[in-house]
Each structure stands twice: as structure tokens, then as C-alpha cells.
């Protein structure tokens, strides 16, 4: 049952000109499959189900999260609730048995194979939004989007999205088939899309689902927990950058406390103040974290406070290691 808090926030956001109406916060499930340390499947499932019961509709996963584990988990969580959610699925990242990353495969035959496996693991007949996780430099984006368009015609996919694509690639993809949203990292610590990408989205009538709102926990004071935590390899958490960023993190947390908000709520509220037409996708692993995130919906941030916060936060280091940054189409200028 929806709480009074979420009832007050029961507006919806439309994804693109042709996409679905969704709750103003999405649930990102990657962290439930070990990317940020130890997880508990039972708690993860309860968290997904609680999110749905409290009004959240957009559930985001990827076929390579935990090498299929995340889709199986989400499939279990949404059983009996399928009609209440929109499934956003990223595909195409190749991984080895040891968990290693081995590039992308966006060939049309691979696209359709990935989709078949995702449908099976999720236990559904159709994926609401299907999106290539990254650009495959060996495959024209027109071929990849054309293959997804075939899946749309066949009834296996409802809408097409993108992830971490640059402005020119977005234009090319949209010419093949309407794109409903771009998934891209955005936070007070990662504002790159404002310059070139967001204007193109506005021009073409494409929405955005924004991940990394907490900067992978940096802004909320979370730190890598052991070798299995992916964040240990990220520039903003490591070495000199990690030390330098603690001053900004402390300032961010003081700012939140002064406004009687938690750091997580402030991170979400800043994104919603800056990009009210877009949908933040919050990566939470527990019901307590979910409850905190939903609290941001009734604690809006003024434009003045949003601007003041920006002057306090200067984050050192790229959002990914150099090799990954090099291959990100969204970072090409």
C-alpha cells in the first residue's frame, strides 16, 4: 500500500514522446548482484517488492549484472506484480566465467540472442525498454537499433532506449526508430551531459533516466567494502583523489544536515531540481535505503539551494578508469 509520503508524490514522468509514464524515481538493481559488495537475495527481493508496492514502476537491470543473477532476481521479485512495472534492460556487455569484462557485442544476431535469454531469466513475454549498454565500435548503431526495432515489431520489446551514447549517436539511432530515453550518469558530481547531450535530447523529444545520483555512494559517505566491491577500482574513491574528495563529501553532508535532509535525499533532490523532466534511477539494496530515497520526493530543493550546493562540491577523478572512459561514446567531444 502506498504511504502518505508517496501519495503526495504521485505524479508521473513520460519517457520521450512515445514512451511510458513512470513514477518520478526508478529503482536500479545492479548493486543487488554483488557489484558493491555483499548482498542478500531475500532482502533484495523484499526491497524490489516494497518499491513496487510504494508506487515505483521503473525497474532497471542488465543481462550482465552478476552474469544473469540480477535478471533472475528481478524475475522472482516481480512475479505477480508484472503489470505494475516497466522493465528497463541493458544488454551487450561480454563477461568471462571469472567475472572479467571482455567488451561489447551489438551485432543484430547477438542482440536477438541476448533478448531471448533476458526474457527467459526475467520470466516475462515482453521487455518494456531495451537498450544497448554501450556503443560497440565494430557495429553501426543503425544495425543495433534496427535489430531491436525487429523485436518491437515482433512484440518482444515495447520501447527502445540508449545508454551512455553521445550526441551524434543519439541522432543516428533516433532516425532508425524513436528513442524514448537515454540512460546516463548524472549527479552534482557528474554534470558532463549538460553541455552537449541534454540539449540534443530536448531537441529530439527524448527523455533521460539518470543513474549514479549518489556518485556510487561517494556523496553519501559510503566506501568500498573489500575486493569484490567494484568501487575500489574507481578513480574517485582511490588514492589522492579519494583523499581530496573527502572535503567535498563533508561539505555536502553538512549542507544536507542544515536542511534536515539525509545525504541521499539531498543528492536526489539536487538532480530533480536541475532536471525535473528526467527520472533519477536510485541504486539501493535494502528497504531502509529505499525508504530514505523515497523521502526525497517530499523534500524539494530550491534553485537557490541547488546553485549553492554546486559551489561547495568539486570532485576529483573521472567516473570510470581511463580505459573505460576512452570507450565511452558519451564522453567523446
Amino acid at each position: 500500500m502506498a504511504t502518505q509520503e508517496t501519495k503526495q508524490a504521485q505524479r508521473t514522468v513520460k519517457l520521450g514522446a512515445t514512451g511510458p509514464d513512470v513514477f518520478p524515481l526508478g529503482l536500479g538493481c545492479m548493486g543487488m548482484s554483488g557489484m558493491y559488495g555483499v548482498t542478500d537475495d531475500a532482502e533484495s527481493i523484499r526491497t524490489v517488492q516494497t518499491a513496487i508496492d510504494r508506487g515505483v514502476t521503473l525497474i532497471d537491470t542488465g543481462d550482465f549484472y552478476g552474469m544473469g543473477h540480477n535478471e533472475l532476481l528481478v524475475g522472482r521479485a516481480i512475479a505477480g506484480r508484472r503489470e505494475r512495472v516497466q522493465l528497463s534492460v541493458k544488454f551487450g556487455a561480454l563477461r568471462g566465467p571469472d567475472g572479467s569484462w571482455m567488451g561489447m557485442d551489438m551485432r543484430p544476431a547477438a542482440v536477438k540472442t541476448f533478448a531471448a535469454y533476458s526474457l527467459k531469466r526475467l520470466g516475462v513475454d515482453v521487455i518494456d525498454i531495451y537498450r544497448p549498454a554501450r556503443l560497440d565500435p565494430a557495429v553501426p548503431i543503425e544495425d543495433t537499433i534496427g535489430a531491436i526495432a525487429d523485436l518491437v515489431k515482433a512484440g518482444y520489446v515495447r520501447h527502445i532506449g540508449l545508454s551512455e551514447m553521445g550526441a551524434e549517436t543519439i541522432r543516428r539511432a533516433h532516425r532508425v526508430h524513436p528513442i524514448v530515453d537515454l540512460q546516463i550518469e548524472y549527479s552534482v558530481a557528474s554534470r558532463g551531459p549538460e553541455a552537449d547531450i541534454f540539449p540534443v535530447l530536448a531537441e529530439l523529444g527524448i527523455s533521460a533516466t539518470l543513474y549514479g545520483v549518489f556518485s556510487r555512494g561517494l556523496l553519501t559517505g559510503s566506501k568500498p567494502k573489500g575486493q569484490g566491491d567494484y568501487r575500489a577500482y574507481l578513480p574517485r574513491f582511490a588514492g589522492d583523489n579519494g583523499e581530496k574528495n573527502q572535503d567535498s563529501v563533508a561539505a555536502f553532508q553538512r549542507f544536507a544536515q542544515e536542511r534536515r535532509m539525509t545525504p541521499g535525499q539531498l543528492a536526489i533532490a539536487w538532480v530533480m531540481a536541475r532536471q525535473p523532466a528526467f527520472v533519477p534511477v536510485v541504486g539501493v539494496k535494502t528497504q531502509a535505503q529505499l525508504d530514505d530515497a523515497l523521502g526525497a520526493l517530499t523534500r524539494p530543493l530550491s534553485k537557490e539551494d541547488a546553485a549553492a550546493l554546486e559551489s561547495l562540491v568539486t570532485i576529483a577523478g573521472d567516473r570510470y578508469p581511463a580505459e573505460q572512459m576512452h570507450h565511452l561514446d558519451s564522453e567523446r567531444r
Side-chain angles (χ1 to χ4, degrees), residues 75 78 82 87 118-128:
I78 66 171
R82 173 64 180 104
L87 288 170
S118 287
L119 289 165
K120 187 71 171 179
R121 284 189 290 258
L122 289 163
V124 299
D125 297 323
V126 61
I127 294 167
D128 296 287

Side-chain angles (χ1 to χ4, degrees), residues 145-160 176-177:
I145 300 303
I148 309 175
D150 289 344
L151 294 170
V152 173
K153 291 175 186 175
Y156 297 116
V157 170
R158 290 196 172 106
H159 306 284
I160 302 179
V176 176
H177 188 280

